Amino acid sequence: MISTLLVANRGEIARRVIRGARTLGIRTVAIYSAPDADAPHVAEADRAVALRGSTSAETYLDAEQVLAAARATGADAVHPGYGFLSENAAFARRVADAGLTWVGPDPASIEAMGVKHTAKALAREAGVPTLPDALLETDDAADWARAAEGVGFPLLVKASAGGGGSGMREVRSPDALADAVRSARAEAARSFGDDTVFLERLLDAPRHIEIQVLGDAHGHVVHLGERECSIQRRHQKVVEEAPSPAVSPELRERMGATAVALAEKLGYVGAGTVEFLLEDADFLTCDVSSVDASVAAAPLRSVPPAATLTQASFYFLEMNTRLQVEHPVTEEVYGVDLVALQLAIADGEEVPFTQAGVVPRGHAIEVRLYAEDPSAGDRPSPGTLHRYRHDTTLRWEDALGASGEISAFYDPMIAKVIAHAPTRAAAARRLSAGLAQAEIHGPATNRDLLVAVLRDADFLAGETRTDFLEQHAALRTPEPATPRVVHLAAAVACTSAARRANDPLKDLAPPGWRLLRGTPRPAIAWEGPDGEVVPTNDGITLRDPTPDGVRVTLDGVEYRCRVAHHDGTAHVDDGEGHSAWREVPRLPAPDAAAGGAGPVSEVPGTVVEVLVAEGEHVVAGQKLVVLEAMKMEHPALAAADGVVETVHVAVGQYVEAHATLVTLGTPG
């Protein structure tokens, strides 16, 4: 039996696995990088081992260091969580070869499903419907064009070894194909060490439905229903729920049986997820399984337009041979502990229930709370999280404690937040209220977007497809539930109260400016969510102002505001939202970037591409440099036409935020 478990991960999933192991009496070992030295998962484990380095590649992806940590602590099992080494078949084999228990499927299953184009072939053999696809095995753009013609537009270029939206490009016309393939290959090579890509027919607005499966070493495989994960940005999920509002009991049975058939074909052992695209509008596509064997064996395994057309409601996307980020919604609806089941199966136990015993109860919704700015293209926002408080009525799977640092080296997730209720509407209401009331002070987050989604009429009607955020762009900058002027008044009042409380001369003279008699007090501007504004007291009354709170009345309605000050910023919360305000200095410091030197890095990151050279003429909007940070690419563009005078960075260089990347001169 497992006695000591090394958790080869970080953040909220490491904390989740540690909690699950502790309930079973299993000792735990955490590993951590330099930026994670003070992370909660380190303190919560029974033992912890520091890894040399900061980046993912230097630490959590370094198999040698992970195995050394297991040996040093006497661990007899490894749980990989998700991401990092969780779907690395070579690492799973090394764990087994070291005499340790791998809490996951057999390496052969990981390998079979880890390469997407071969996974699709296995799915077809198991009778699973698939979309047209074509593996690109040459460097000839003409071959790519022929393959794309067979697949049909629109299509996706996808990294065969990848996931999470990396190495993926959408293509809607032939003239955009070559650039998309080259770009996807480059990103795939950087992210996964494999630049293999394939083409796949793109459904414009399907639903993303996945089936949770469990298999044991005794040949038993069951499914635990579906999760809908359609609301996404950059092909990454942000809202997940179970069950899906679009899946009937009959469809659940069909999809579940298909997923189980694939798992049985693999001899799958452990927890896994079979992902599908569900087309609930009329759609005709090629039936790949009917294509002649000679076509399937061709160097470019494309599907000819003349292939048999058929209608199908769902299509295989991929199989994830690990625990999913969104596993809590399945746990809530089916009353199971998937981490405990993983550990029991790894210990050789049978799945403790049959398919007939799997019955959903109520509805669960999960949202991913990220440190990113939806109004700026979901740009990640690393930095210090000064305050992080929330109630305990919801299930919060936190990556951080009451405060902490959101590192630029890793995914920007702060937490997963889950609500379970008897109905879907009740779960959405509980989740939106709990999110709105949380105190989250620091970098920009997607909290307001999530609340707006959960309260949107189309979401509540179940109209959730993969283009939801594109079709509801206004949700990225929702109108605040509390008028901005209320929060501004609270910021001004509580900042003034704090100054009075901290002024050693408060009993000798009134606070504020020391001005000559008769000189009007200068107007002080404040910068908030909508830019600069000069406060007025028109229609506002204040009661009981203190440094940390005030009652603000506007048009007869009273708002109870809480205020906290961090680094010169007043953070205001009430029961319906948050805003941050900063007093504008009377004599602002000169903007280092205002001199027109050239683009600067918006976030700290690593330079992955330098696309220009000194002396080169560039035009406004041209991509000059590409950074990679928090699992995303960030292109730096020319703001105007110019000539490259100096390139300040090189590929592989790490740069801080606001560093000048390129100096541009005026064209001669």
Side-chain angles (χ1 to χ4, degrees):
M1 293 182 65
I2 296 172
S3 62
T4 302
L5 178 70
L6 184 138
V7 183
N9 219 294
R10 65 179 296 279
E12 43 80 32
I13 186 55
R15 300 183 75 186
R16 169 70 183 92
V17 174
I18 289 168
R19 287 196 305 273
R22 181 167 289 123
T23 64
L24 301 176
I26 298 173
R27 293 188 298 273
T28 56
V29 177
I31 56 176
Y32 63 94
S33 65
D36 281 342
D38 297 320
H41 79 276
V42 179
E44 291 168 356
D46 298 297
R47 298 286 187 273
V49 176
L51 305 177
R52 298 180 304 277
S54 298
T55 67
S56 296
E58 293 169 339
T59 55
Y60 300 104
L61 287 169
D62 186 336
E64 290 291 347
Q65 289 202 75
V66 175
L67 290 172
R71 289 192 296 269
T73 56
D76 53 10
V78 174
H79 193 304
Y82 49 70
F84 294 131
L85 294 167
S86 63
E87 294 180 282
N88 186 311
F91 178 67
R93 286 195 179 93
R94 292 190 62 181
V95 170
D97 290 346
L100 309 177
T101 297
W102 170 252
V103 184
D106 182 86
S109 295
I110 299 175
E111 215 157 44
M113 292 293 103
V115 180
K116 287 184 171 58
H117 66 274
T118 58
K120 289 188 69 174
L122 286 168
R124 286 193 289 269
E125 291 175 14
V128 183
T130 62
L131 288 165
D133 69 312
L135 177 64
L136 302 186
E137 296 181 306
T138 77
D139 295 326
D140 188 339
D143 287 342
W144 306 344
R146 285 192 296 272
E149 184 179 353
V151 171
F153 290 93
L155 59 81
L156 284 173
V157 183
K158 300 176 70 173
S160 190
S166 296
M168 186 181 296
R169 299 293 186 273
E170 184 177 308
V171 183
R172 295 193 167 272
S173 62
D175 58 350
L177 179 67
D179 284 345
V181 170
R182 294 186 185 100
S183 176
R185 277 184 165 178
E187 186 176 2
R190 290 194 302 270
S191 300
F192 313 114
D194 184 344
D195 70 353
T196 305
V197 298
F198 67 102
L199 310 181
E200 182 177 77
R201 180 69 178 273
L202 171 66
L203 301 183
D204 266 322
R207 293 177 186 264
H208 186 129
I209 307 291
E210 59 189 32
I211 303 291
Q212 176 72 60
V213 296
L214 278 175
D216 62 33
H218 306 275
H220 305 140
V221 180
V222 298
H223 73 82
L224 292 168
E226 83 283 354
R227 298 182 287 257
E228 175 158 342
C229 314
S230 300
I231 299 181
Q232 306 176 1
R233 87 294 186 253
R234 301 190 307 274
H235 302 287
Q236 293 179 323
K237 308 160 188 173
V238 290
V239 180
E240 301 108 345
E241 58 182 309
S244 165
V247 174
S248 65
E250 294 76 19
L251 182 56
R252 180 176 302 120
E253 184 176 348
R254 278 202 298 137
M255 296 183 77
T258 301
V260 167
L262 177 57
E264 288 177 338
K265 181 175 181 60
L266 290 169
Y268 195 83
V269 176
T273 300
V274 183
E275 301 199 354
F276 298 97
L277 296 178
L278 173 64
E279 180 59 54
D280 54 354
D282 291 338
F283 178 74
L284 290 176
T285 188
C286 300
D287 179 4
V288 182
S289 62
S290 70
V291 177
D292 184 82
S294 63
V295 174
L300 290 172
R301 192 171 41 78
S302 60
V303 181
T308 302
L309 293 178
T310 184
Q311 272 193 307
S313 58
F314 58 90
Y315 306 87
F316 175 79
L317 181 62
E318 63 184 2
M319 183 176 186
N320 292 310
T321 53
R322 53 168 168 80
L323 199 64
Q324 291 280 90
V325 176
E326 56 273 18
H327 75 273
V329 295
T330 296
E331 294 184 324
E332 294 292 331
V333 168
Y334 289 96
V336 297
D337 182 330
L338 287 171
V339 171
L341 286 167
Q342 283 186 297
L343 293 168
I345 290 169
D347 256 339
E349 298 181 22
E350 296 185 25
V351 175
F353 45 78
T354 64
Q355 193 63 60
V358 178
V359 180
R361 56 178 185 84
H363 201 97
I365 306 175
E366 171 183 298
V367 294
R368 303 190 191 187
L369 180 64
Y370 283 111
E372 63 184 25
D373 188 351
S375 68
D378 304 308
R379 184 178 65 220
S381 304
T384 301
L385 190 64
H386 299 285
R387 176 180 290 183
Y388 176 58
R389 295 179 183 174
H390 52 72
D391 64 25
T392 57
T393 59
L394 302 176
R395 176 173 171 177
W396 292 75
E397 300 276 341
D398 304 310
L400 300 171
S403 62
E405 192 72 19
I406 299 166
S407 171
F409 292 108
Y410 311 113
D411 184 275
M413 184 186 289
I414 298 172
K416 304 176 310 194
V417 194
I418 306 98
H420 179 249
T423 67
R424 184 172 183 270
R429 183 173 63 241
R430 287 192 60 215
L431 187 51
S432 63
L435 277 170
Q437 293 167 12
E439 297 182 10
I440 307 168
H441 300 170
T445 75
N446 66 338
R447 186 253 303 270
D448 290 348
L449 166 64
L450 298 174
V451 171
V453 168
L454 294 167
R455 293 175 176 175
D456 181 75
D458 287 340
F459 174 84
L460 294 173
E463 295 297 320
T464 50
R465 294 177 177 81
T466 53
D467 65 344
F468 185 90
L469 291 181
E470 286 75 14
Q471 296 298 321
H472 298 76
L475 298 181
R476 292 179 168 276
T477 53
E479 287 295 319
T482 301
R484 292 285 195 220
V485 67
V486 170
H487 279 196
L488 172 58
V492 174
C494 293
T495 299
S496 180
R499 285 176 179 160
R500 286 196 299 271
N502 296 320
D503 186 354
L505 304 177
K506 61 180 180 293
D507 296 326
L508 302 177
W513 301 91
R514 302 298 185 259
L515 304 172
L516 297 176
R517 185 182 300 276
T519 304
R521 183 184 177 92
I524 303 297
W526 287 68
E527 185 177 9
D530 301 320
E532 290 188 15
V533 61
V534 176
T536 67
N537 61 0
D538 293 344
I540 293 281
T541 59
L542 307 173
R543 294 184 63 186
D544 306 327
T546 67
D548 55 8
V550 64
R551 296 160 64 183
V552 181
T553 300
L554 174 67
D555 297 333
V557 179
E558 182 175 288
Y559 302 83
R560 295 176 178 268
C561 298
R562 307 179 302 278
V563 179
H565 295 88
H566 310 290
D567 292 344
T569 298
H571 291 263
V572 184
D573 295 278
D574 67 352
E576 285 296 326
H578 165 270
S579 62
W581 302 85
R582 179 181 289 269
E583 213 175 297
V584 177
R586 289 185 302 144
L587 300 174
D591 185 350
V600 299
S601 52
E602 295 181 335
V603 296
T606 301
V607 178
V608 295
E609 286 187 276
V610 177
L611 303 172
V612 293
E614 293 178 3
E616 183 176 339
H617 284 71
V618 298
V619 297
Q622 182 174 336
K623 189 186 299 184
L624 308 180
V625 175
V626 179
L627 298 180
E628 188 172 70
M630 302 177 93
K631 298 174 67 175
M632 284 181 58
E633 287 191 345
H634 305 269
L637 310 178
D641 296 354
V643 177
V644 178
E645 291 186 350
T646 308
V647 177
H648 298 281
V649 296
V651 172
Q653 180 179 343
Y654 180 81
V655 297
E656 297 290 348
H658 312 303
T660 299
L661 305 174
V662 175
T663 296
L664 297 180
T666 305

